[in-house]
Amino acid sequence: MTHPVPSPGAFVILAMPRTGTHYLEELLNKHPNVLSNGELLNTYDTNWSDKGRLAGSDHELLELAYLRYPNQTNKKVTRVGCKINEPQFHERPGFFAELARWPGLKVILMVRKNTLESLRSLTQARQTRQWLKFSSDNDATPSVKLAIPCCEAYFKAADEFHNRLARSFASADLHVVEYENLLIEPSACMAKIWDFLGVAAFEHTGTANLKRQEARPLDQTIENFEELRRHFAGGPYAEFFEVGETV
């Protein structure tokens, strides 16, 4: 008599853009029993050979992610996941609710302590079309100019997104990872994630392939930083413009 093999437990990485999810996913995929397959809703993500998958329903997409997922490394997978960035939910309005209904889903929320860092990085990437960096060269990333309405909209979107997650998932099923802490103490951060996902502890060796694209402080990478700081002074986002050490 044969017994069906149980499906792996499902998880998802949720985040605003440019918060370090690629780096997190690289560390997750080093675990022998954890598989994360990139951006499910990104047509160009190379993890998915089926470019027409986005024509399917929201539920069909989730079945693809969690029940019929690609496993190119032939891992013995006990936890399988994918990534979704906040703007991608706007393209499929019903997808968030469908995701929240998936049984046993574990949610990893990736954040940056300073949301302005995320917006600055997103703007740089859009201008240079360089989304990932694998070499340690010293090529300088160009500075950017940010419009005040763009900043206000982005900060508000991040707040609303994080609040929506807190309302939609039980605290036991939601784990927040700060990008800065992941850079400084990757082992400690990953140990908490393994425990959250319910997989065996795993200590990876070696360095990550991905490199940081920008390490300069905000006042050196945003051309109109002082203008923005004056505008947001005294408000809820004033702390984003406090000049200090960057991680």
Side-chain angles (χ1 to χ4, degrees):
M1 181 177 179
T2 60
H3 298 276
V5 178
S7 299
F11 73 90
V12 65
I13 304 168
L14 301 180
M16 295 297 290
R18 310 299 289 175
T19 51
T21 58
H22 280 89
Y23 177 57
L24 173 61
E25 190 170 55
E26 182 179 348
L27 298 181
L28 285 168
N29 280 328
K30 291 180 181 293
H31 194 289
N33 305 123
V34 176
L35 179 63
S36 190
N37 277 315
E39 295 183 32
L40 178 66
L41 302 184
N42 183 346
T43 305
Y44 304 102
D45 193 296
T46 56
N47 288 280
W48 304 93
S49 59
D50 181 9
K51 301 303 181 183
R53 68 186 184 281
L54 297 182
S57 69
D58 294 337
H59 190 75
E60 287 171 336
L61 269 174
L62 291 175
E63 288 184 338
L64 178 63
Y66 297 132
L67 302 179
R68 296 180 283 110
Y69 54 92
N71 184 7
Q72 299 172 358
T73 58
N74 293 316
K75 282 184 174 182
K76 184 178 180 181
V77 179
T78 60
R79 277 286 176 184
V80 63
C82 60
K83 300 190 310 175
I84 303 171
N85 287 335
E86 186 270 346
Q88 294 170 338
F89 286 111
H90 298 283
E91 300 167 6
R92 300 184 72 103
F95 192 81
F96 186 96
E98 192 71 41
L99 178 69
R101 288 192 289 267
W102 192 266
L105 182 71
K106 293 286 188 178
V107 178
I108 300 174
L109 170 60
M110 191 80 181
V111 301
R112 294 189 78 152
K113 293 180 180 179
N114 188 338
T115 305
L116 181 59
E117 294 272 7
S118 170
L119 176 58
R120 186 273 327 268
S121 180
L122 177 62
T123 306
Q124 286 176 320
R126 283 174 171 169
Q127 291 185 5
T128 63
R129 297 186 179 276
Q130 182 180 7
W131 296 90
L132 300 174
K133 182 177 180 179
F134 294 96
S135 65
S136 299
D137 57 62
N138 294 320
D139 291 347
T141 305
S143 299
V144 296
K145 187 174 183 179
L146 302 177
I148 289 173
C150 177
C151 292
E152 291 176 335
Y154 194 85
F155 298 159
K156 182 180 179 181
D159 285 346
E160 291 177 347
F161 183 55
H162 297 159
N163 290 335
R164 186 182 190 186
L165 293 182
R167 296 192 306 269
S168 303
F169 297 97
S171 58
D173 297 325
L174 178 63
H175 182 70
V176 180
V177 179
E178 291 185 344
Y179 171 67
E180 293 82 358
N181 290 343
L182 188 62
L183 287 180
I184 296 172
E185 299 181 315
S187 295
C189 285
M190 295 309 298
K192 292 179 181 178
I193 293 174
W194 305 141
D195 182 64
F196 172 68
L197 294 179
V199 297
F202 177 75
E203 185 71 31
H204 74 273
T205 58
T207 58
N209 293 323
L210 283 173
K211 309 298 180 183
R212 291 195 67 192
Q213 290 181 274
E214 181 62 84
R216 294 174 297 170
L218 289 166
D219 59 338
Q220 294 181 23
T221 54
I222 299 177
E223 296 174 6
N224 58 328
F225 181 83
E226 291 301 327
E227 174 196 7
L228 296 174
R229 179 157 63 175
R230 289 192 297 270
H231 175 82
F232 287 99
Y237 305 121
E239 62 181 357
F240 295 162
F241 299 87
E242 295 175 359
V243 180
E245 295 183 2
T246 57
V247 177

